[in-house]
Protein backbone atom coordinates (compact mmCIF):
# COMPACT_ATOMS: atom_id res chain seq x y z
CA UNK A 1 0.00 0.00 0.00
CA UNK A 2 2.83 2.37 0.85
CA UNK A 3 4.46 1.63 -2.49
CA UNK A 4 1.29 2.46 -4.40
CA UNK A 5 0.85 5.70 -2.44
CA UNK A 6 4.48 6.66 -3.10
CA UNK A 7 4.11 5.97 -6.81
CA UNK A 8 0.94 8.06 -6.95
CA UNK A 9 2.51 11.03 -5.15
CA UNK A 10 5.62 10.81 -7.36
CA UNK A 11 3.54 10.88 -10.53
CA UNK A 12 1.57 13.85 -9.25
CA UNK A 13 4.75 15.73 -8.43
CA UNK A 14 6.00 15.05 -11.95
CA UNK A 15 2.67 16.13 -13.49
CA UNK A 16 2.73 19.43 -11.61
CA UNK A 17 5.65 20.53 -13.76
CA UNK A 18 5.08 18.46 -16.89
CA UNK A 19 1.37 18.79 -17.82
CA UNK A 20 2.07 19.97 -21.33
CA UNK A 21 4.45 22.62 -22.70
CA UNK A 22 4.40 26.22 -21.54
CA UNK A 23 3.34 28.51 -24.38
CA UNK A 24 5.95 30.71 -26.04
CA UNK A 25 4.67 33.20 -28.62
CA UNK A 26 6.12 32.60 -32.11
CA UNK A 27 8.49 35.19 -33.49
CA UNK A 28 8.07 35.99 -37.21
CA UNK A 29 11.14 36.26 -39.42
CA UNK A 30 13.06 39.53 -38.86
CA UNK A 31 12.38 40.71 -42.42
CA UNK A 32 8.64 40.51 -41.75
CA UNK A 33 9.03 43.63 -39.58
CA UNK A 34 11.03 45.56 -42.19
CA UNK A 35 9.73 48.58 -44.15
CA UNK A 36 7.48 47.73 -47.08
CA UNK A 37 9.08 47.40 -50.49
CA UNK A 38 6.41 49.54 -52.12
CA UNK A 39 6.42 52.27 -49.46
CA UNK A 40 9.22 54.17 -51.22
CA UNK A 41 6.71 55.58 -53.70
CA UNK A 42 5.82 59.26 -53.08
CA UNK A 43 2.16 58.22 -52.75
CA UNK A 44 3.00 56.78 -49.32
CA UNK A 45 4.62 57.81 -46.09
CA UNK A 46 6.09 55.54 -43.42
CA UNK A 47 4.22 57.35 -40.66
CA UNK A 48 1.94 55.20 -38.52
CA UNK A 49 -1.20 54.11 -40.34
CA UNK A 50 -4.35 55.99 -39.40
CA UNK A 51 -6.75 54.03 -37.20
CA UNK A 52 -9.82 55.88 -38.48
CA UNK A 53 -8.66 55.79 -42.08
CA UNK A 54 -12.07 56.44 -43.64
CA UNK A 55 -12.02 59.91 -42.06
CA UNK A 56 -9.17 60.85 -44.39
CA UNK A 57 -11.83 61.37 -47.07
CA UNK A 58 -13.33 64.18 -44.94
CA UNK A 59 -16.87 63.11 -45.77
CA UNK A 60 -19.35 63.38 -42.85
CA UNK A 61 -21.88 61.20 -44.66
CA UNK A 62 -19.34 58.39 -44.97
CA UNK A 63 -18.38 58.80 -41.30
CA UNK A 64 -22.01 58.37 -40.31
CA UNK A 65 -22.50 55.32 -42.50
CA UNK A 66 -19.41 53.63 -41.04
CA UNK A 67 -20.70 54.33 -37.51
CA UNK A 68 -24.04 52.79 -38.46
CA UNK A 69 -22.32 49.72 -39.89
CA UNK A 70 -20.24 49.21 -36.75
CA UNK A 71 -23.39 49.38 -34.65
CA UNK A 72 -25.89 47.42 -36.74
CA UNK A 73 -24.16 45.23 -39.34
CA UNK A 74 -25.43 41.68 -39.09
CA UNK A 75 -22.02 40.05 -39.67
CA UNK A 76 -20.61 42.04 -36.76
CA UNK A 77 -23.53 40.98 -34.59
CA UNK A 78 -22.81 37.33 -35.43
CA UNK A 79 -19.12 37.81 -34.54
CA UNK A 80 -20.00 39.51 -31.25
CA UNK A 81 -22.39 36.66 -30.41
CA UNK A 82 -19.58 34.17 -30.99
CA UNK A 83 -17.36 36.21 -28.71
CA UNK A 84 -20.05 36.16 -26.01
CA UNK A 85 -20.30 32.39 -26.43
CA UNK A 86 -16.53 32.02 -25.95
CA UNK A 87 -16.68 34.18 -22.83
CA UNK A 88 -19.50 32.08 -21.44
CA UNK A 89 -17.42 28.95 -22.06
CA UNK A 90 -14.53 30.55 -20.19
CA UNK A 91 -16.77 31.24 -17.22
CA UNK A 92 -17.85 27.61 -17.26
CA UNK A 93 -14.25 26.36 -17.32
CA UNK A 94 -13.25 28.72 -14.50
CA UNK A 95 -15.97 27.23 -12.33
CA UNK A 96 -13.93 23.99 -12.22
CA UNK A 97 -11.59 25.76 -9.78
CA UNK A 98 -14.43 26.09 -7.29
CA UNK A 99 -15.91 23.38 -5.07
CA UNK A 100 -18.69 21.49 -6.83
CA UNK A 101 -21.84 21.11 -4.76
CA UNK A 102 -25.10 19.27 -5.21
CA UNK A 103 -28.23 18.94 -3.08
CA UNK A 104 -30.66 16.06 -3.41
CA UNK A 105 -33.90 15.11 -1.72
CA UNK A 106 -36.39 12.31 -2.27
CA UNK A 107 -39.53 10.88 -0.74
CA UNK A 108 -41.12 7.53 -1.57
CA UNK A 109 -44.08 5.43 -0.44
CA UNK A 110 -44.45 1.82 -1.49
CA UNK A 111 -45.03 -1.84 -0.73
CA UNK A 112 -42.27 -4.41 -0.47
CA UNK A 113 -42.71 -8.08 -1.38
CA UNK A 114 -43.19 -10.35 1.62
CA UNK A 115 -40.01 -12.24 0.80
CA UNK A 116 -37.98 -8.99 1.08
CA UNK A 117 -39.46 -7.74 4.40
CA UNK A 118 -38.06 -8.31 7.84
CA UNK A 119 -40.27 -10.21 10.23
CA UNK A 120 -42.71 -7.86 11.94
CA UNK A 121 -42.13 -4.96 9.50
CA UNK A 122 -45.00 -3.21 7.77
CA UNK A 123 -45.94 -4.24 4.28
CA UNK A 124 -46.19 -0.61 3.21
CA UNK A 125 -43.83 2.11 4.38
CA UNK A 126 -42.34 5.52 3.54
CA UNK A 127 -38.74 6.58 2.96
CA UNK A 128 -37.32 10.10 2.97
CA UNK A 129 -33.81 11.21 2.14
CA UNK A 130 -32.00 14.56 1.93
CA UNK A 131 -28.30 15.19 1.42
CA UNK A 132 -25.57 17.67 0.50
CA UNK A 133 -22.42 16.64 -1.40
CA UNK A 134 -19.26 18.74 -1.90
CA UNK A 135 -16.19 17.91 -3.98
CA UNK A 136 -13.06 19.85 -4.92
CA UNK A 137 -10.47 18.85 -7.50
CA UNK A 138 -6.92 19.53 -6.30
CA UNK A 139 -5.71 19.94 -9.91
CA UNK A 140 -2.23 18.69 -9.11
CA UNK A 141 -1.83 17.69 -12.76
CA UNK A 142 -2.73 21.18 -14.02
CA UNK A 143 -5.71 19.99 -16.07
CA UNK A 144 -8.01 22.78 -14.91
CA UNK A 145 -5.29 25.40 -15.27
CA UNK A 146 -4.51 24.38 -18.85
CA UNK A 147 -8.22 24.24 -19.67
CA UNK A 148 -8.61 27.82 -18.50
CA UNK A 149 -5.58 28.87 -20.57
CA UNK A 150 -7.15 27.27 -23.65
CA UNK A 151 -10.50 28.98 -23.02
CA UNK A 152 -8.77 32.34 -22.60
CA UNK A 153 -7.06 31.78 -25.94
CA UNK A 154 -10.42 31.01 -27.51
CA UNK A 155 -11.89 34.25 -26.13
CA UNK A 156 -8.96 36.33 -27.39
CA UNK A 157 -9.19 34.66 -30.81
CA UNK A 158 -12.94 35.33 -30.99
CA UNK A 159 -12.30 38.94 -30.02
CA UNK A 160 -9.73 39.28 -32.80
CA UNK A 161 -12.12 37.57 -35.23
CA UNK A 162 -14.74 40.19 -34.36
CA UNK A 163 -12.20 42.91 -35.10
CA UNK A 164 -11.41 41.23 -38.43
CA UNK A 165 -15.10 41.31 -39.31
CA UNK A 166 -15.18 45.01 -38.40
CA UNK A 167 -12.22 45.62 -40.73
CA UNK A 168 -14.09 43.83 -43.49
CA UNK A 169 -17.38 45.62 -42.84
CA UNK A 170 -15.82 49.10 -42.62
CA UNK A 171 -13.95 48.43 -45.86
CA UNK A 172 -17.05 47.08 -47.59
CA UNK A 173 -19.14 50.04 -46.39
CA UNK A 174 -16.60 52.53 -47.63
CA UNK A 175 -16.27 50.66 -50.92
CA UNK A 176 -20.05 50.60 -51.44
CA UNK A 177 -20.25 54.34 -50.79
CA UNK A 178 -17.32 55.01 -53.12
CA UNK A 179 -18.79 52.71 -55.78
CA UNK A 180 -22.09 54.58 -55.67
CA UNK A 181 -20.30 57.93 -55.97
CA UNK A 182 -17.94 56.80 -58.73
CA UNK A 183 -20.84 55.23 -60.62
CA UNK A 184 -22.62 58.59 -60.45
CA UNK A 185 -19.48 60.24 -61.84
CA UNK A 186 -19.13 57.64 -64.60
CA UNK A 187 -22.82 58.06 -65.37
CA UNK A 188 -22.36 61.80 -65.77
CA UNK A 189 -19.39 61.23 -68.09
CA UNK A 190 -21.37 58.70 -70.15
CA UNK A 191 -24.27 61.12 -70.50
CA UNK A 192 -21.93 63.95 -71.51
CA UNK A 193 -20.43 61.73 -74.19
CA UNK A 194 -23.92 60.89 -75.48
CA UNK A 195 -24.82 64.60 -75.53
CA UNK A 196 -21.59 65.34 -77.40
CA UNK A 197 -22.35 62.65 -79.96
CA UNK A 198 -25.91 63.92 -80.24
CA UNK A 199 -24.54 67.30 -81.25
CA UNK A 200 -22.20 65.66 -83.75
CA UNK A 201 -25.10 63.66 -85.16
CA UNK A 202 -27.15 66.83 -85.46
CA UNK A 203 -24.40 68.68 -87.26
CA UNK A 204 -23.81 65.71 -89.54
CA UNK A 205 -27.51 65.52 -90.32
CA UNK A 206 -27.49 69.16 -91.41
CA UNK A 207 -24.46 68.50 -93.58
CA UNK A 208 -26.25 65.56 -95.19
CA UNK A 209 -29.29 67.77 -95.89
CA UNK A 210 -27.02 70.39 -97.43
CA UNK A 211 -25.35 67.78 -99.61
CA UNK A 212 -21.98 68.27 -97.95
CA UNK A 213 -21.84 64.80 -96.34
CA UNK A 214 -22.95 61.30 -97.22
CA UNK A 215 -25.80 59.61 -95.35
CA UNK A 216 -23.36 56.88 -94.36
CA UNK A 217 -21.59 59.45 -92.19
CA UNK A 218 -24.81 60.07 -90.26
CA UNK A 219 -25.37 56.33 -89.82
CA UNK A 220 -21.86 55.91 -88.45
CA UNK A 221 -22.06 58.73 -85.93
CA UNK A 222 -25.56 57.61 -84.86
CA UNK A 223 -24.28 54.08 -84.34
CA UNK A 224 -21.46 55.35 -82.13
CA UNK A 225 -23.94 57.47 -80.19
CA UNK A 226 -26.21 54.46 -79.61
CA UNK A 227 -23.28 52.33 -78.47
CA UNK A 228 -22.38 54.91 -75.83
CA UNK A 229 -26.01 55.35 -74.80
CA UNK A 230 -26.26 51.60 -74.20
CA UNK A 231 -23.68 51.94 -71.40
CA UNK A 232 -25.87 54.32 -69.38
CA UNK A 233 -28.38 51.72 -68.06
CA UNK A 234 -25.61 49.35 -66.92
CA UNK A 235 -23.86 52.14 -65.02
CA UNK A 236 -27.15 53.13 -63.41
CA UNK A 237 -27.63 49.49 -62.37
CA UNK A 238 -24.12 49.46 -60.84
CA UNK A 239 -24.96 52.57 -58.84
CA UNK A 240 -28.23 51.13 -57.54
CA UNK A 241 -26.50 47.86 -56.61
CA UNK A 242 -23.89 49.81 -54.62
CA UNK A 243 -26.61 51.68 -52.74
CA UNK A 244 -28.53 48.48 -51.99
CA UNK A 245 -25.30 46.90 -50.73
CA UNK A 246 -24.68 49.96 -48.57
CA UNK A 247 -28.12 49.59 -47.01
CA UNK A 248 -27.46 45.95 -46.11
CA UNK A 249 -24.03 46.74 -44.65
CA UNK A 250 -25.52 49.39 -42.38
CA UNK A 251 -28.31 47.12 -41.19
CA UNK A 252 -31.09 48.76 -43.20
CA UNK A 253 -33.59 47.80 -45.83
CA UNK A 254 -33.07 49.53 -49.21
CA UNK A 255 -36.05 51.79 -48.46
CA UNK A 256 -34.46 53.00 -45.20
CA UNK A 257 -31.13 54.12 -46.65
CA UNK A 258 -30.70 57.87 -45.99
CA UNK A 259 -31.04 60.06 -49.05
CA UNK A 260 -27.67 61.66 -48.23
CA UNK A 261 -25.94 58.36 -49.04
CA UNK A 262 -26.87 58.82 -52.71
CA UNK A 263 -26.19 62.54 -53.03
CA UNK A 264 -22.48 62.41 -53.77
CA UNK A 265 -21.72 62.43 -57.51
CA UNK A 266 -17.91 62.55 -57.52
CA UNK A 267 -15.44 59.86 -56.54
CA UNK A 268 -13.91 60.52 -53.08
CA UNK A 269 -10.21 61.34 -53.36
CA UNK A 270 -7.30 61.80 -50.97
CA UNK A 271 -5.17 64.92 -51.08
CA UNK A 272 -2.26 63.49 -49.11
CA UNK A 273 0.21 60.62 -49.10
CA UNK A 274 -1.17 57.55 -47.34
CA UNK A 275 0.56 56.65 -44.04
CA UNK A 276 1.34 52.93 -44.08
CA UNK A 277 3.84 52.32 -41.27
CA UNK A 278 6.07 49.25 -41.60
CA UNK A 279 5.96 45.48 -41.27
CA UNK A 280 6.24 45.50 -37.48
CA UNK A 281 3.24 47.81 -37.16
CA UNK A 282 1.31 45.65 -39.63
CA UNK A 283 1.88 42.48 -37.57
CA UNK A 284 0.57 44.28 -34.50
CA UNK A 285 -2.47 45.79 -36.25
CA UNK A 286 -3.82 42.87 -38.26
CA UNK A 287 -6.60 41.14 -36.28
CA UNK A 288 -6.26 37.92 -38.30
CA UNK A 289 -2.66 37.63 -37.09
CA UNK A 290 -3.77 38.19 -33.49
CA UNK A 291 -6.48 35.56 -33.90
CA UNK A 292 -4.02 33.02 -35.35
CA UNK A 293 -1.55 33.62 -32.51
CA UNK A 294 -4.25 33.20 -29.85
CA UNK A 295 -5.48 29.98 -31.47
CA UNK A 296 -1.92 28.69 -31.32
CA UNK A 297 -1.82 29.54 -27.60
CA UNK A 298 -5.12 27.72 -27.04
CA UNK A 299 -4.00 24.62 -28.94
CA UNK A 300 -0.74 24.55 -26.96
CA UNK A 301 -2.69 24.68 -23.69
CA UNK A 302 -4.85 21.77 -24.85
CA UNK A 303 -1.72 19.62 -25.08
CA UNK A 304 -1.48 20.13 -21.33
CA UNK A 305 -5.12 19.19 -20.88
CA UNK A 306 -4.52 15.94 -22.74
CA UNK A 307 -1.23 15.29 -20.91
CA UNK A 308 -2.96 15.66 -17.54
CA UNK A 309 -5.00 12.54 -18.32
CA UNK A 310 -1.83 10.47 -17.84
CA UNK A 311 -1.80 11.27 -14.13
CA UNK A 312 -4.20 10.61 -11.26
CA UNK A 313 -6.93 13.14 -10.59
CA UNK A 314 -7.56 13.66 -6.89
CA UNK A 315 -10.67 15.30 -5.49
CA UNK A 316 -11.54 15.95 -1.88
CA UNK A 317 -15.17 15.24 -1.20
CA UNK A 318 -17.70 14.94 1.51
CA UNK A 319 -21.39 14.49 2.02
CA UNK A 320 -23.91 14.85 4.79
CA UNK A 321 -27.52 13.76 4.82
CA UNK A 322 -30.34 12.05 6.57
CA UNK A 323 -32.50 9.00 5.76
CA UNK A 324 -35.64 8.06 7.66
CA UNK A 325 -39.07 6.50 7.29
CA UNK A 326 -40.81 9.69 8.38
CA UNK A 327 -40.09 13.37 8.08
CA UNK A 328 -40.09 13.78 11.86
CA UNK A 329 -37.33 11.18 12.26
CA UNK A 330 -35.01 12.78 9.64
CA UNK A 331 -33.44 15.20 12.10
CA UNK A 332 -32.70 12.75 14.88
CA UNK A 333 -29.17 11.63 15.49
CA UNK A 334 -29.81 8.10 14.34
CA UNK A 335 -30.95 9.23 10.88
CA UNK A 336 -27.94 11.41 10.11
CA UNK A 337 -25.05 10.23 7.95
CA UNK A 338 -21.81 11.84 6.78
CA UNK A 339 -18.82 10.89 4.65
CA UNK A 340 -15.44 12.54 4.08
CA UNK A 341 -12.42 11.47 2.08
CA UNK A 342 -10.35 11.77 -1.12
CA UNK A 343 -11.32 10.31 -4.47
CA UNK A 344 -8.58 9.18 -6.84
CA UNK A 345 -9.30 8.56 -10.53
CA UNK A 346 -6.52 7.21 -12.74
CA UNK A 347 -6.65 5.42 -16.08
CA UNK A 348 -3.73 3.07 -15.53
CA UNK A 349 -2.06 1.11 -17.01
CA UNK A 350 -4.19 1.40 -20.20
CA UNK A 351 -3.13 4.91 -21.29
CA UNK A 352 -3.00 4.46 -25.04
CA UNK A 353 -6.19 6.49 -25.54
CA UNK A 354 -4.75 9.38 -23.52
CA UNK A 355 -1.49 9.28 -25.44
CA UNK A 356 -3.45 9.29 -28.72
CA UNK A 357 -5.24 12.46 -27.57
CA UNK A 358 -1.88 14.03 -26.71
CA UNK A 359 -0.58 13.23 -30.20
CA UNK A 360 -3.72 14.72 -31.74
CA UNK A 361 -3.35 17.89 -29.65
CA UNK A 362 0.29 18.21 -30.67
CA UNK A 363 -0.73 17.87 -34.32
CA UNK A 364 -3.36 20.60 -33.82
CA UNK A 365 -0.68 22.82 -32.34
CA UNK A 366 1.65 22.28 -35.29
CA UNK A 367 -1.22 23.09 -37.62
CA UNK A 368 -2.00 26.26 -35.66
CA UNK A 369 1.65 27.32 -35.91
CA UNK A 370 1.62 26.75 -39.67
CA UNK A 371 -1.61 28.76 -39.92
CA UNK A 372 0.00 31.60 -37.97
CA UNK A 373 3.04 31.62 -40.24
CA UNK A 374 0.80 31.53 -43.31
CA UNK A 375 -1.31 34.41 -41.99
CA UNK A 376 1.81 36.54 -41.50
CA UNK A 377 3.04 35.80 -45.02
CA UNK A 378 -0.37 36.44 -46.60
CA UNK A 379 -0.72 39.75 -44.77
CA UNK A 380 2.63 40.94 -46.13
CA UNK A 381 1.70 39.74 -49.62
CA UNK A 382 -1.68 41.53 -49.51
CA UNK A 383 -0.11 44.75 -48.32
CA UNK A 384 2.68 44.77 -50.89
CA UNK A 385 0.16 43.98 -53.65
CA UNK A 386 -2.10 46.79 -52.46
CA UNK A 387 0.80 49.25 -52.37
CA UNK A 388 1.88 48.27 -55.87
CA UNK A 389 -1.64 48.35 -57.32
CA UNK A 390 -2.39 51.77 -55.89
CA UNK A 391 0.90 53.31 -57.05
CA UNK A 392 0.56 51.82 -60.55
CA UNK A 393 -3.05 52.98 -60.89
CA UNK A 394 -2.03 56.52 -60.00
CA UNK A 395 0.56 56.39 -62.79
CA UNK A 396 -2.03 54.95 -65.17
CA UNK A 397 -4.52 57.65 -64.24
CA UNK A 398 -1.99 60.37 -64.99
CA UNK A 399 -1.29 58.83 -68.40
CA UNK A 400 -5.02 58.52 -69.12
CA UNK A 401 -5.57 62.14 -68.14
CA UNK A 402 -2.88 63.21 -70.60
CA UNK A 403 -4.39 60.95 -73.27
CA UNK A 404 -7.85 62.41 -72.63
CA UNK A 405 -6.54 65.96 -73.02
CA UNK A 406 -4.74 65.02 -76.23
CA UNK A 407 -7.82 63.26 -77.61
CA UNK A 408 -9.97 66.30 -76.86
CA UNK A 409 -7.53 68.59 -78.65
CA UNK A 410 -7.36 66.21 -81.63
CA UNK A 411 -11.17 66.09 -81.81
CA UNK A 412 -11.41 69.86 -81.96
CA UNK A 413 -8.77 70.04 -84.67
CA UNK A 414 -10.42 67.37 -86.84
CA UNK A 415 -13.78 69.10 -86.54
CA UNK A 416 -12.26 72.37 -87.64
CA UNK A 417 -10.47 70.71 -90.57
CA UNK A 418 -13.69 68.94 -91.57
CA UNK A 419 -15.54 72.24 -91.65
CA UNK A 420 -12.77 73.55 -93.87
CA UNK A 421 -13.16 70.53 -96.15
CA UNK A 422 -9.60 69.32 -95.52
CA UNK A 423 -10.45 65.81 -94.19
CA UNK A 424 -13.29 63.32 -94.56
CA UNK A 425 -15.77 62.23 -91.90
CA UNK A 426 -13.96 59.01 -90.98
CA UNK A 427 -11.17 61.03 -89.38
CA UNK A 428 -13.73 62.99 -87.35
CA UNK A 429 -15.52 59.82 -86.30
CA UNK A 430 -12.26 58.23 -85.21
CA UNK A 431 -11.26 61.27 -83.15
CA UNK A 432 -14.63 61.41 -81.42
CA UNK A 433 -14.52 57.68 -80.68
CA UNK A 434 -11.02 58.06 -79.22
CA UNK A 435 -12.12 60.98 -77.04
CA UNK A 436 -15.13 59.05 -75.77
CA UNK A 437 -12.95 56.04 -74.93
CA UNK A 438 -10.36 58.11 -73.04
CA UNK A 439 -13.09 59.94 -71.12
CA UNK A 440 -14.67 56.66 -70.02
CA UNK A 441 -11.29 55.09 -69.23
CA UNK A 442 -10.31 58.07 -67.09
CA UNK A 443 -13.53 57.93 -65.08
CA UNK A 444 -13.09 54.16 -64.57
CA UNK A 445 -9.48 54.70 -63.50
CA UNK A 446 -10.54 57.23 -60.86
CA UNK A 447 -12.92 54.61 -59.48
CA UNK A 448 -10.11 52.02 -59.46
CA UNK A 449 -7.86 54.41 -57.56
CA UNK A 450 -10.46 54.73 -54.83
CA UNK A 451 -10.92 50.95 -54.78
CA UNK A 452 -7.16 50.43 -54.55
CA UNK A 453 -7.03 52.84 -51.62
CA UNK A 454 -9.64 50.81 -49.77
CA UNK A 455 -7.76 47.58 -50.56
CA UNK A 456 -4.65 49.14 -49.05
CA UNK A 457 -6.43 50.35 -45.92
CA UNK A 458 -7.98 46.94 -45.45
CA UNK A 459 -4.65 45.15 -45.86
CA UNK A 460 -3.17 47.43 -43.18
CA UNK A 461 -5.69 46.06 -40.72
CA UNK A 462 -8.00 49.00 -40.17
CA UNK A 463 -8.56 50.11 -36.63
CA UNK A 464 -10.81 51.98 -34.24
CA UNK A 465 -11.20 52.59 -30.57
CA UNK A 466 -13.39 50.20 -28.61
CA UNK A 467 -15.07 53.29 -27.19
CA UNK A 468 -16.12 54.30 -30.70
CA UNK A 469 -17.79 50.95 -31.24
CA UNK A 470 -19.60 51.19 -27.90
CA UNK A 471 -20.70 54.75 -28.64
CA UNK A 472 -22.05 53.76 -32.06
CA UNK A 473 -23.99 50.88 -30.50
CA UNK A 474 -25.40 53.21 -27.84
CA UNK A 475 -26.54 55.73 -30.45
CA UNK A 476 -28.16 52.94 -32.47
CA UNK A 477 -29.93 51.59 -29.38
CA UNK A 478 -31.18 55.05 -28.49
CA UNK A 479 -32.54 55.50 -31.98
CA UNK A 480 -34.32 52.16 -31.82
CA UNK A 481 -35.98 53.09 -28.52
CA UNK A 482 -37.05 56.39 -30.01
CA UNK A 483 -38.87 54.59 -32.81
Amino acid sequence: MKQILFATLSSLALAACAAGPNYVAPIPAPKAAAPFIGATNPAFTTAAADDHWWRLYRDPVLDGLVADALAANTDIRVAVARLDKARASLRGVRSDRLPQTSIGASGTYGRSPETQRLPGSAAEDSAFDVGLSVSYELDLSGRVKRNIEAARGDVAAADADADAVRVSVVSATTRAYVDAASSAERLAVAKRIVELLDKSAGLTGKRVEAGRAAKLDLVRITTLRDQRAALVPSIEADRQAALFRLATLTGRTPQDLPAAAAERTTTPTLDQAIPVGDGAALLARRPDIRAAERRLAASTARIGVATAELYPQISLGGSIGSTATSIGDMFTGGALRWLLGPLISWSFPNQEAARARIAASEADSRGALAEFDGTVLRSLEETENALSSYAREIERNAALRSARDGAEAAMRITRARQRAGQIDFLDVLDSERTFADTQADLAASSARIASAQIDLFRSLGGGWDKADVAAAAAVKAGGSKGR
Side-chain angles (χ1 to χ4, degrees), residues 107-112 123-128 325:
T108 61
Y109 177 78
R111 178 185 179 90
S112 300
E124 299 177 356
D125 57 3
S126 301
F128 299 92
T325 57

Side-chain angles (χ1 to χ4, degrees), residues 7-22 139-143 145-146 303-313 346 351:
T8 301
L9 294 176
S10 298
S11 64
L12 290 173
L14 179 62
C17 61
N22 292 322
D139 196 33
L140 296 178
S141 63
R143 182 189 69 84
K145 177 184 177 182
R146 293 300 194 193
I303 297 176
V305 175
T307 304
E309 297 181 17
L310 295 176
Y311 307 101
Q313 295 180 15
W346 190 9
Q351 296 184 325

Side-chain angles (χ1 to χ4, degrees), residues 12-63:
L12 290 173
L14 179 62
C17 61
N22 292 322
Y23 176 69
V24 178
I27 301 176
K31 290 185 178 180
F36 299 121
I37 296 173
T40 56
N41 191 284
F44 312 112
T45 172
T46 56
D50 197 304
D51 280 342
H52 303 83
W53 55 265
W54 58 91
R55 297 179 184 173
L56 296 175
Y57 292 107
R58 297 184 178 89
D59 189 324
V61 175
L62 175 59
D63 295 344

Side-chain angles (χ1 to χ4, degrees), residues 27-351:
I27 301 176
K31 290 185 178 180
F36 299 121
I37 296 173
T40 56
N41 191 284
F44 312 112
T45 172
T46 56
D50 197 304
D51 280 342
H52 303 83
W53 55 265
W54 58 91
R55 297 179 184 173
L56 296 175
Y57 292 107
R58 297 184 178 89
D59 189 324
V61 175
L62 175 59
D63 295 344
L65 291 170
V66 168
D68 291 343
L70 289 173
N73 180 266
T74 54
D75 290 339
I76 292 178
R77 287 164 52 195
V78 170
V80 171
R82 289 171 178 165
L83 173 58
D84 291 341
K85 179 180 178 180
R87 286 171 174 165
S89 297
L90 174 59
R91 290 198 302 272
V93 172
R94 281 175 172 168
S95 69
D96 291 341
R97 295 185 301 186
L98 304 175
Q100 308 299 308
T101 60
S102 63
I103 298 177
S106 66
T108 61
Y109 177 78
R111 178 185 179 90
S112 300
E114 184 177 352
T115 56
Q116 296 180 6
R117 294 198 304 266
L118 295 175
S121 62
E124 299 177 356
D125 57 3
S126 301
F128 299 92
D129 183 86
V130 62
L132 168 66
S133 298
V134 179
S135 65
Y136 175 71
E137 183 176 347
L138 296 180
D139 196 33
L140 296 178
S141 63
R143 182 189 69 84
V144 174
K145 177 184 177 182
R146 293 300 194 193
N147 232 348
I148 293 174
E149 287 180 12
R152 283 174 176 163
D154 291 340
V155 169
D159 192 16
D161 285 339
D163 283 345
V165 173
R166 291 187 179 100
V167 169
S168 178
V169 168
V170 169
S171 300
T173 301
T174 306
R175 190 186 303 279
Y177 180 76
V178 168
D179 285 349
S182 63
S183 293
E185 182 174 356
R186 289 167 52 217
L187 184 61
V189 170
K191 288 181 177 180
R192 285 199 302 270
I193 292 174
V194 172
E195 291 174 359
L196 179 65
L197 294 175
D198 278 338
K199 292 180 180 179
S200 295
L203 293 173
T204 304
K206 292 180 180 180
R207 291 174 61 84
V208 170
E209 292 175 358
R212 300 176 58 189
K215 189 174 181 179
L216 181 59
D217 295 343
L218 179 60
V219 173
R220 286 170 173 168
I221 192 66
T222 302
T223 300
L224 178 59
R225 181 265 178 204
D226 291 341
Q227 288 175 339
R228 293 299 169 177
L231 297 177
V232 171
S234 64
I235 298 176
E236 289 178 335
D238 290 344
R239 183 169 182 271
Q240 289 298 315
L243 292 174
F244 295 152
R245 187 167 71 251
L246 188 58
T248 300
L249 288 165
T250 55
R252 296 180 171 96
T253 64
Q255 293 84 352
D256 293 330
L257 186 67
E263 290 177 354
R264 179 151 189 160
T265 58
T266 58
T267 304
T269 58
L270 296 179
D271 56 1
Q272 65 181 75
I274 296 179
V276 297
D278 56 16
L282 176 72
L283 299 183
R285 282 169 59 89
R286 292 266 301 212
D288 54 343
I289 294 178
R290 296 200 309 272
E293 188 273 331
R294 287 292 83 200
R295 288 193 177 92
L296 174 59
S299 65
T300 302
R302 289 191 172 92
I303 297 176
V305 175
T307 304
E309 297 181 17
L310 295 176
Y311 307 101
Q313 295 180 15
I314 297 182
S315 298
L316 298 179
S319 65
I320 185 172
S322 177
T323 303
T325 57
S326 67
I327 296 178
D329 293 339
M330 290 188 65
F331 302 102
T332 61
L336 293 176
R337 70 176 189 279
W338 61 269
L339 181 67
L340 178 66
L343 175 64
I344 299 178
S345 175
W346 190 9
S347 298
F348 183 84
N350 182 14
Q351 296 184 325

